[in-house]
Amino acid sequence: MTGIEPEEDEAAPPAGSFQVLAIEIVVYSALVATYLLLVLRSLRAPLLEMAEHHRVLYGIAAVLLMLGQGVLLEFLTSLLVGRFSRARREEAVRA
Amino acid sequence: MHFPISGVTISSAWLIGLGLVVGILGGFFGVGGSFLAGPALYALGLPMNFVVGTDLAHIMGKSVVAAKKHRALGNVDLKLGLIMVGGTLVGVELGAQVVQILKRHDLTDIVLGTLFSTILLLLSGFMAWESISALRMRRLVATGRIKTIKRDRVHFTMLFKRVQAMRLPPYVSLPASGIPKISVWAIVAVGVVGGFFSGLLGGGAGYIRMPSLVYVLGVPTHVAIGTDLFEIIISAGYGTVSHAIKGNVDILIALVMHTGAAVGAQIGAAATEKFHGPKIRLAFVPLPVLGAAVLLFQLFHRGVIKL
C-alpha cells in the first residue's frame, strides 16, 4: 500500500526525515508552480472560447481535465509520500 | 490570477491552500469538503452559481484520489454505490434546474447562501448529539454496564432498522456493509436526496449523503466514508457537465484548487485508520459550523441579507 502508514506507538520521527519531507514539499511546489504557469495559463483562452460558444464540449473538457489532473497528481503525490515513508523507515533503522 | 470564465481575480496561493485544507478534511471524513470550500470560494469573490458548479468539478477530481485510497483500505461498497447512481443523477439534475430558476430571478446568493448555512448548522447539531450519545454508550460498555456492542453502530439505530425492515421490493444484500437485506428504493431515495443537494448547493453533498448512509441505511462509518467518495465521483462528474452547459463552472479555478487537494486527500484518507466511528463523527461537528459562519458573514457583509 502506498502512502502514509500510521503506527500505534509512534516515536517522534528522526530529524532527517523532516528534511526529506521539506525537500519533497519544495519539489512538489515547484512542479505545481510550473504546471500552473505553463499548462493552466495556456488553457485559459481555449477554455474561455469553449465556455462561451461550445458549452457541451466545455463540460466534457472540464470533466476530462479534472479526471486527468486527478490521476496525474495522485501518481505524483503517491510517489512523493512513498519516498518520505521509506526515508523515515531508513532513518528509524539507522537510529 | 485572473479567471476569465467567471470574471474574478483570486490568488492562486489562496486557492491551493484552500484545496489542501479541504482535501485533508474531505479525505478524513469522506466528504467532498464543500461545507468549507463553498463558503470560502464565495468569500474569495466567486458568485454563488459559479461556487456551485466549480466546487462540483473540484471535488470530482479530489474524490478520485481519496476514493482510490479508501478502496485500498476496503472501505468502498461498490454494489451500494452503483445502485445509488441512478437516484443520484436524477437528484443532481433536479438541483441544477432549481439553480437555473433562481438565476433567472437573481436569487442565487440569498436563497442558496441561506439554505446552505441552515443545513450546515442543523447537520452539526444532529451529529454532535448522536456522536456524544454513541461515545457515552461505548463508555458504558467499557465499564461493563452494557455487555457488548458488536460493531461500530450509531446511537440512532431505530431509523435504519426500520428502513432495513421496509417491505418494498426489490431487495438487495450488501455484504460489504454488513446489511443482509434492504430495499433498493431506500438506496435510490438516499441517492436522489444527496444528488439534489449536490446539484443545488454544489460539492458532493457528502454532508447529506454520508450521514444518510450511516443513519438511514445503517452502513458502518468507514464504509460510508469510502462509498460516499466513490458516489461523489459519479454525481459530481454529471453535475459538472450539467452546470458547465448552464454556464456555472470555472474549470480553471477547480484545477488550481485541486493541486492542493491532491496532497490533502492522501493525508486525510490515511488518518481515518487511527480513529473509531463516533470520534470521527464528533470531530466533524465544528466544520459545518465554521462554513456556515463564513457564509453568513459574507452574506451580511455584502448586503445580501440586511438586518
Side-chain angles (χ1 to χ4, degrees), chain B:
Chain B
M1 187 170 173
H2 182 66
F3 296 92
I5 297 170
S6 56
V8 298
T9 300
I10 303 175
S11 162
S12 300
W14 274 111
L15 283 176
I16 292 170
L18 173 62
L20 178 68
V21 170
V22 169
I24 291 172
L25 296 173
F28 184 70
F29 296 112
V31 296
S34 61
F35 51 84
L36 282 181
L41 284 172
Y42 187 65
L44 289 172
L46 196 62
M48 203 64 198
N49 57 303
F50 273 103
V51 168
V52 172
T54 303
D55 194 36
L56 273 168
H58 153 252
I59 66 104
M60 180 192 62
K62 184 167 61 65
S63 296
V64 168
V65 176
K68 187 183 172 193
K69 192 81 177 173
H70 277 278
R71 178 87 172 130
L73 294 169
N75 293 340
V76 178
D77 187 337
L78 271 180
K79 190 175 178 182
L80 171 61
L82 289 171
I83 294 171
M84 258 200 299
V85 163
T88 299
L89 297 181
V90 169
V92 168
E93 187 56 38
L94 284 173
Q97 292 295 338
V98 171
V99 171
Q100 291 306 99
I101 293 169
L102 291 172
K103 256 171 72 176
R104 281 198 286 274
H105 294 88
D106 201 24
L107 291 171
T108 50
D109 283 16
I110 179 75
V111 173
L112 298 184
T114 308
L115 180 62
F116 202 174
S117 302
T118 305
I119 287 170
L120 293 178
L121 291 171
L122 286 173
L123 179 64
S124 279
F126 177 72
M127 291 194 78
W129 168 79
E130 190 281 328
S131 303
I132 291 168
S133 299
L135 286 170
R136 195 176 295 138
M137 199 181 294
R138 281 177 177 264
R139 275 197 291 275
L140 290 173
V141 169
T143 55
R145 292 175 67 182
I146 292 178
K147 283 195 176 168
T148 185
I149 46 175
K150 288 183 183 175
R151 50 191 281 201
D152 169 32
R153 278 296 185 198
V154 303
H155 173 73
F156 196 60
T157 59
M158 288 301 295
L159 178 58
F160 79 75
K161 283 184 177 176
R162 286 190 179 185
V163 169
Q164 288 179 13
M166 204 166 62
R167 292 184 183 180
L168 198 62
Y171 304 102
V172 68
S173 67
L174 301 172
S177 300
I179 297 172
K181 178 181 160 186
I182 190 167
S183 169
V184 167
W185 297 110
I187 299 171
V188 169
V190 167
V192 170
V193 172
F196 176 74
F197 281 98
S198 182
L200 180 69
L201 299 175
Y207 49 85
I208 294 287
R209 189 183 300 108
M210 209 268 282
S212 296
L213 288 172
V214 174
Y215 302 127
V216 177
L217 299 184
V219 177
T221 304
H222 279 90
V223 177
I225 289 172
T227 307
D228 177 57
L229 281 165
F230 168 76
E231 193 69 14
I232 285 170
I233 297 169
I234 298 167
S235 65
Y238 175 78
T240 298
V241 174
S242 179
H243 274 291
I245 292 170
K246 295 170 176 65
N248 299 329
V249 175
D250 190 329
I251 191 61
L252 288 168
I253 290 178
L255 289 170
V256 173
M257 267 182 73
H258 180 251
T259 56
V263 176
Q266 293 252 5
I267 297 169
T272 58
E273 287 301 292
K274 284 187 176 287
F275 297 97
H276 298 291
K279 287 184 181 177
I280 293 177
R281 297 195 290 274
L282 191 59
F284 178 78
V285 166
L287 301 175
V289 175
L290 178 62
V294 169
L295 195 48
L296 286 171
F297 175 78
Q298 285 298 318
L299 288 171
F300 280 107
H301 182 64
R302 296 184 195 189
V304 176
I305 296 176
K306 294 181 179 66
L307 288 172

Side-chain angles (χ1 to χ4, degrees), chain A residues 1-4 6-7 28 32 36 40 44 47-48 51 55-56 58-59 62-63 65-67 69-70 73-74 77-78, chain B residues 2 4-5 16 57 60-61 64 68-69 241 244-247 249 251-252 254-256 258-259 262-263 266 270 274:
Chain A
M1 187 177 96
T2 58
I4 298 169
E7 295 167 4
Y28 183 79
V32 166
L36 286 175
L40 294 188
R44 260 199 286 194
L47 284 174
L48 179 61
R55 284 192 176 172
V56 174
Y58 174 64
V63 169
L65 279 170
M66 189 50 70
L67 286 175
Q69 183 175 289
L73 291 184
E74 195 273 339
T77 53
S78 293
Chain B
H2 182 66
I5 297 170
I16 292 170
M60 180 192 62
V64 168
K68 187 183 172 193
K69 192 81 177 173
V241 174
I245 292 170
K246 295 170 176 65
V249 175
I251 191 61
L252 288 168
L255 289 170
V256 173
H258 180 251
T259 56
V263 176
Q266 293 252 5
K274 284 187 176 287

Side-chain angles (χ1 to χ4, degrees), chain A residues 35-69:
Chain A
Y35 171 70
L36 286 175
L37 285 171
L38 294 180
V39 178
L40 294 188
R41 279 184 187 271
S42 65
L43 285 174
R44 260 199 286 194
L47 284 174
L48 179 61
E49 169 71 19
M50 273 194 275
E52 288 179 345
H53 303 293
H54 310 286
R55 284 192 176 172
V56 174
L57 193 61
Y58 174 64
I60 296 168
V63 169
L64 290 176
L65 279 170
M66 189 50 70
L67 286 175
Q69 183 175 289

Side-chain angles (χ1 to χ4, degrees), chain A residues 1-20:
Chain A
M1 187 177 96
T2 58
I4 298 169
E5 294 179 325
E7 295 167 4
E8 278 296 327
D9 299 315
E10 205 173 302
S17 64
F18 285 112
Q19 288 178 347
V20 172

